[in-house]
Short mmCIF file of all heavy atoms in Angstrom, two decimals:
data_model
loop_
_atom_site.label_atom_id
_atom_site.label_comp_id
_atom_site.label_asym_id
_atom_site.label_seq_id
_atom_site.Cartn_x
_atom_site.Cartn_y
_atom_site.Cartn_z
N GLU A 146 17.98 24.45 -32.87
CA GLU A 146 18.07 23.36 -31.90
C GLU A 146 19.29 22.48 -32.13
O GLU A 146 19.99 22.12 -31.19
CB GLU A 146 16.81 22.50 -31.95
CG GLU A 146 15.59 23.22 -31.40
CD GLU A 146 14.30 22.57 -31.86
OE1 GLU A 146 14.28 21.33 -31.99
OE2 GLU A 146 13.33 23.31 -32.09
N ASP A 147 19.52 22.10 -33.37
CA ASP A 147 20.61 21.16 -33.63
C ASP A 147 21.94 21.89 -33.81
O ASP A 147 22.93 21.54 -33.18
CB ASP A 147 20.29 20.32 -34.87
CG ASP A 147 19.06 19.45 -34.66
OD1 ASP A 147 18.15 19.88 -33.93
OD2 ASP A 147 18.98 18.34 -35.22
N PHE A 148 21.93 22.89 -34.67
CA PHE A 148 23.19 23.56 -34.95
C PHE A 148 23.53 24.65 -33.93
O PHE A 148 24.62 25.22 -33.97
CB PHE A 148 23.18 24.12 -36.37
CG PHE A 148 23.32 23.04 -37.42
CD1 PHE A 148 22.19 22.44 -37.95
CD2 PHE A 148 24.56 22.60 -37.81
CE1 PHE A 148 22.31 21.41 -38.88
CE2 PHE A 148 24.69 21.58 -38.74
CZ PHE A 148 23.56 20.98 -39.28
N GLU A 184 27.61 18.58 -45.95
CA GLU A 184 27.22 17.78 -44.79
C GLU A 184 26.08 18.46 -44.03
O GLU A 184 25.19 17.80 -43.51
CB GLU A 184 28.40 17.58 -43.85
CG GLU A 184 29.39 16.52 -44.30
CD GLU A 184 28.77 15.13 -44.29
OE1 GLU A 184 28.19 14.75 -43.27
OE2 GLU A 184 28.88 14.43 -45.32
N ASP A 187 23.00 17.92 -46.11
CA ASP A 187 22.55 16.54 -45.97
C ASP A 187 21.87 16.33 -44.62
O ASP A 187 20.93 15.56 -44.52
CB ASP A 187 23.74 15.57 -46.11
CG ASP A 187 24.21 15.46 -47.56
OD1 ASP A 187 23.53 16.00 -48.44
OD2 ASP A 187 25.25 14.84 -47.80
N GLY A 193 21.29 10.58 -46.74
CA GLY A 193 22.33 9.72 -46.18
C GLY A 193 22.04 9.27 -44.76
O GLY A 193 22.85 8.61 -44.13
N GLU A 195 20.98 7.03 -41.96
CA GLU A 195 20.87 5.57 -41.87
C GLU A 195 20.03 5.23 -40.65
O GLU A 195 20.40 5.56 -39.52
CB GLU A 195 22.25 4.94 -41.71
CG GLU A 195 23.19 5.29 -42.83
CD GLU A 195 23.59 4.07 -43.66
OE1 GLU A 195 23.82 3.01 -43.06
OE2 GLU A 195 23.65 4.22 -44.88
N HIS A 221 17.10 12.21 -26.94
CA HIS A 221 18.40 12.46 -27.53
C HIS A 221 18.38 13.64 -28.49
O HIS A 221 17.34 14.10 -28.91
CB HIS A 221 18.89 11.21 -28.27
CG HIS A 221 19.44 10.17 -27.35
ND1 HIS A 221 20.70 9.68 -27.46
CD2 HIS A 221 18.89 9.57 -26.27
CE1 HIS A 221 20.90 8.79 -26.51
NE2 HIS A 221 19.82 8.70 -25.78
N GLY A 222 19.55 14.09 -28.83
CA GLY A 222 19.66 15.16 -29.81
C GLY A 222 19.72 14.58 -31.20
O GLY A 222 19.64 13.38 -31.39
N GLY A 223 19.84 15.45 -32.17
CA GLY A 223 20.02 15.03 -33.55
C GLY A 223 18.80 14.31 -34.11
O GLY A 223 17.71 14.36 -33.55
N LEU B 174 33.22 18.81 -38.64
CA LEU B 174 33.21 18.70 -40.09
C LEU B 174 34.61 18.83 -40.68
O LEU B 174 34.91 18.27 -41.72
CB LEU B 174 32.28 19.74 -40.70
CG LEU B 174 30.80 19.50 -40.45
CD1 LEU B 174 29.96 20.61 -41.06
CD2 LEU B 174 30.37 18.14 -41.01
N LYS B 185 28.87 10.45 -41.13
CA LYS B 185 28.13 11.57 -41.72
C LYS B 185 27.40 12.32 -40.60
O LYS B 185 26.86 11.72 -39.69
CB LYS B 185 27.10 11.05 -42.72
CG LYS B 185 27.60 11.05 -44.15
CD LYS B 185 26.48 10.71 -45.13
CE LYS B 185 25.72 11.96 -45.56
NZ LYS B 185 26.50 12.90 -46.37
N LEU B 186 27.40 13.63 -40.72
CA LEU B 186 26.80 14.45 -39.67
C LEU B 186 25.35 14.05 -39.40
O LEU B 186 24.89 14.02 -38.26
CB LEU B 186 26.88 15.92 -40.06
CG LEU B 186 26.48 16.93 -38.98
CD1 LEU B 186 27.39 16.81 -37.77
CD2 LEU B 186 26.53 18.35 -39.53
N VAL B 187 24.64 13.72 -40.47
CA VAL B 187 23.23 13.40 -40.33
C VAL B 187 23.00 12.19 -39.43
O VAL B 187 21.96 12.05 -38.79
CB VAL B 187 22.58 13.20 -41.73
CG1 VAL B 187 23.11 11.95 -42.41
CG2 VAL B 187 21.07 13.16 -41.64
N ASN B 188 23.98 11.32 -39.33
CA ASN B 188 23.84 10.14 -38.48
C ASN B 188 24.41 10.35 -37.08
O ASN B 188 24.61 9.40 -36.33
CB ASN B 188 24.53 8.94 -39.15
CG ASN B 188 23.78 8.53 -40.40
OD1 ASN B 188 22.55 8.49 -40.41
ND2 ASN B 188 24.51 8.24 -41.46
N GLU B 190 24.60 12.54 -33.29
CA GLU B 190 23.77 13.28 -32.36
C GLU B 190 24.27 14.70 -32.27
O GLU B 190 25.35 14.95 -31.73
CB GLU B 190 23.82 12.60 -31.01
CG GLU B 190 22.45 12.18 -30.57
CD GLU B 190 22.48 11.63 -29.17
OE1 GLU B 190 22.72 10.41 -29.04
OE2 GLU B 190 22.27 12.40 -28.24
N LEU B 191 23.51 15.61 -32.80
CA LEU B 191 23.91 17.01 -32.83
C LEU B 191 22.90 17.81 -32.02
O LEU B 191 21.71 17.76 -32.27
CB LEU B 191 23.93 17.50 -34.28
CG LEU B 191 24.20 18.99 -34.53
CD1 LEU B 191 25.58 19.38 -34.06
CD2 LEU B 191 24.05 19.30 -36.01
N ASN B 193 22.42 21.66 -29.96
CA ASN B 193 22.93 22.99 -29.63
C ASN B 193 24.31 23.28 -30.20
O ASN B 193 25.13 23.94 -29.57
CB ASN B 193 22.99 23.19 -28.11
CG ASN B 193 21.62 23.15 -27.50
OD1 ASN B 193 20.66 23.62 -28.13
ND2 ASN B 193 21.49 22.57 -26.32
N GLY B 194 24.56 22.76 -31.37
CA GLY B 194 25.82 23.07 -32.04
C GLY B 194 26.93 22.07 -31.78
O GLY B 194 27.99 22.15 -32.39
N THR B 340 26.04 12.98 -53.24
CA THR B 340 25.97 13.12 -51.78
C THR B 340 27.35 13.09 -51.15
O THR B 340 27.61 13.75 -50.16
CB THR B 340 25.19 11.95 -51.16
OG1 THR B 340 24.10 11.67 -51.97
CG2 THR B 340 24.73 12.25 -49.77
#
Side-chain angles (χ1 to χ4, degrees):
Chain A
E146 290 161 35
D147 296 32
F148 287 91
E184 282 294 309
D187 287 352
E195 302 245 320
H221 281 237
Chain B
L174 290 178
K185 265 188 88 67
L186 189 61
V187 67
N188 292 318
E190 239 185 272
L191 174 63
N193 296 325
T340 319

